[in-house]
Amino acid sequence: MSSVLRIALQKSGRLSEDSYQLFKECGIRFDYGTGKLKSVSSNFPAEFLFLRDDDIPGYVEDGVADLGIVGENVAVEMGRQVQTIHKLGFSKCRLSIAVPRGTDWTGIQCLEGKNIATSYPNLLGNYLTEQGVQAEIHEISGSVEIAPSIGLAEAVCDIVSSGSTLLSNGLKEVETIFRSEAILIAPNELNAEKQELIDKLLFRIKAVQVAKNNKYIVLNAPNHSLDQITALLPGMKSPTVTPLATEGWSSVHSVLNENEFWENIEAIRAAGAEGILVIPIEKMIY
Ligand code: ATP
Ligand code: MG
């Protein structure tokens, strides 16, 4: 196959590190961070473009790139004709409305006839329409939080993760209008060769994501409680049980979802398990 996947990533910003890390975990090697705008993978038919995140949906829509990673907020705001291939679970944030801390807030209707500063006029506009509120939207491209203090607007609509930026600008978050995470986008039309490469990549991404949510667990158990313990550790098919050198004891190996581990650990210990080891898994394929 001579086809090469062109993948657009944010050059440097809040999506970059996790995007690079994801490809690394998928075993796809390429150089980045050297100031180059383009890099070819040495072990996967892929070429990487390093861009401003705002430019990525357009490049994907035009088919200049076959894949891109952007925040859902940017993809939806730009309204480009692209398809979401997969959610990636990082760069999680929300788009929220915030007002000066002293404002009396009784609900979204408080914004009727007010001025709101934002870099997301479409997402905000749609939300206000849905809520039946008429307000003036002022689009600004950055430092939205200072708008109320300089008299430009009575409210802002901006990206929040911890809320500390809002707080330090004397604002309080009053309404979340959109939740976002990094997503993989592709053109609506893909030829069969590109689709095949994307499927190959997706297979790897899913194996990495599943592995992150699961742990390999090893423990020692007295033989009389093996039934009880193995019932708590179903594993991918069933747990591995091997005898220990000590008479009457076995070693149990299994895979467990991280949440289930914490939910079941007391019951596992109560059943007599000892020497419990929990080990991260790098890749997991069912
Ligand atoms: P560029 O220079 O590429 O245009 P930018 O300044 O527009 O970058 P970033 O601040 O790097 O964008 O954010 C990129 C994306 O990361 C956002 O669109 C959003 O989806 C997500 N994001 C933004 N802020 C946060 C945050 N505090 N925590 C997690 N994710 C965030
Ligand atoms: Mg940007």
Side-chain angles (χ1 to χ4, degrees):
M1 198 190 302
S2 59
S3 202
V4 170
L5 266 191
R6 262 213 179 151
I7 306 174
L9 302 181
Q10 188 188 27
K11 186 173 189 306
S12 86
R14 292 179 192 270
L15 295 159
S16 314
E17 255 328 298
D18 286 330
S19 302
Y20 300 150
Q21 183 66 22
L22 177 70
F23 286 99
K24 202 169 169 185
E25 288 170 341
C26 289
I28 296 171
R29 285 200 292 269
F30 62 99
D31 289 333
Y32 61 85
T34 54
K36 279 203 299 188
L37 299 178
K38 211 166 99 173
S39 170
V40 178
S41 170
S42 56
N43 64 351
F44 192 87
E47 177 179 72
F48 292 84
L49 308 178
F50 306 114
L51 304 166
R52 292 277 313 269
D53 70 343
D54 316 58
D55 296 332
I56 294 175
Y59 274 45
V60 170
E61 181 183 59
D62 297 342
V64 173
D66 307 307
L67 274 182
I69 294 182
V70 283
E72 246 172 324
N73 52 318
V74 168
V76 176
E77 175 65 26
M78 299 207 153
R80 298 292 193 144
Q81 296 303 306
V82 297
Q83 51 172 324
T84 300
I85 297 269
H86 197 62
K87 296 200 175 204
L88 297 171
F90 56 81
S91 299
K92 286 193 174 169
C93 58
R94 55 191 188 271
L95 187 63
S96 289
I97 294 171
V99 294
R101 222 172 303 155
T103 311
D104 263 339
W105 182 261
T106 51
I108 192 76
Q109 68 283 357
C110 295
L111 293 178
E112 186 68 36
K114 297 280 166 47
N115 297 293
I116 314 170
T118 189
S119 308
Y120 296 89
N122 293 324
L123 277 165
L124 175 60
N126 291 343
Y127 181 79
L128 293 177
T129 306
E130 267 169 33
Q131 300 292 319
V133 172
Q134 292 218 335
E136 196 67 42
I137 297 174
H138 292 266
E139 183 179 355
I140 47 180
S141 60
S143 305
V144 171
E145 313 81 14
I146 65 161
S149 65
I150 59 172
L152 179 69
E154 288 95 358
V156 302
C157 176
D158 203 10
I159 293 291
V160 183
S161 62
S162 70
S164 59
T165 311
L166 291 180
L167 213 62
S168 62
N169 283 286
L171 300 173
K172 64 175 177 186
E173 187 178 357
V174 288
E175 209 87 35
T176 296
I177 73 162
F178 190 79
R179 289 186 189 276
S180 177
E181 64 186 87
I183 55 172
L184 204 53
I185 56 171
N188 286 335
E189 304 281 333
L190 284 160
N191 69 37
E193 283 190 353
K194 302 263 185 187
Q195 187 64 55
E196 199 175 312
L197 287 175
I198 290 178
D199 291 344
K200 224 172 180 174
L201 175 64
L202 265 185
F203 175 82
R204 296 192 190 189
I205 290 176
K206 286 176 186 168
V208 168
Q209 286 182 326
V210 174
K212 281 203 172 125
N213 294 328
N214 285 276
K215 298 283 181 255
Y216 190 74
I217 175 163
V218 182
L219 56 83
N220 295 329
N223 288 344
H224 62 79
S225 60
L226 278 177
D227 285 349
Q228 209 180 335
I229 289 177
T230 54
L232 292 165
L233 298 168
M236 289 171 79
K237 201 173 205 69
S238 67
T240 306
V241 179
T242 48
L244 288 188
T246 306
E247 190 68 31
W249 282 76
S250 295
S251 169
V252 180
H253 295 221
S254 194
V255 168
L256 201 58
N257 179 282
E258 172 115 49
N259 294 331
E260 282 172 37
F261 170 76
W262 290 114
E263 279 165 19
N264 289 333
I265 187 65
E266 291 311 324
I268 292 169
R269 288 185 67 216
E274 291 180 3
I276 303 168
L277 304 179
V278 178
I279 304 154
I281 299 170
E282 197 173 295
K283 312 278 188 306
M284 196 164 149
I285 296 145
Y286 280 97

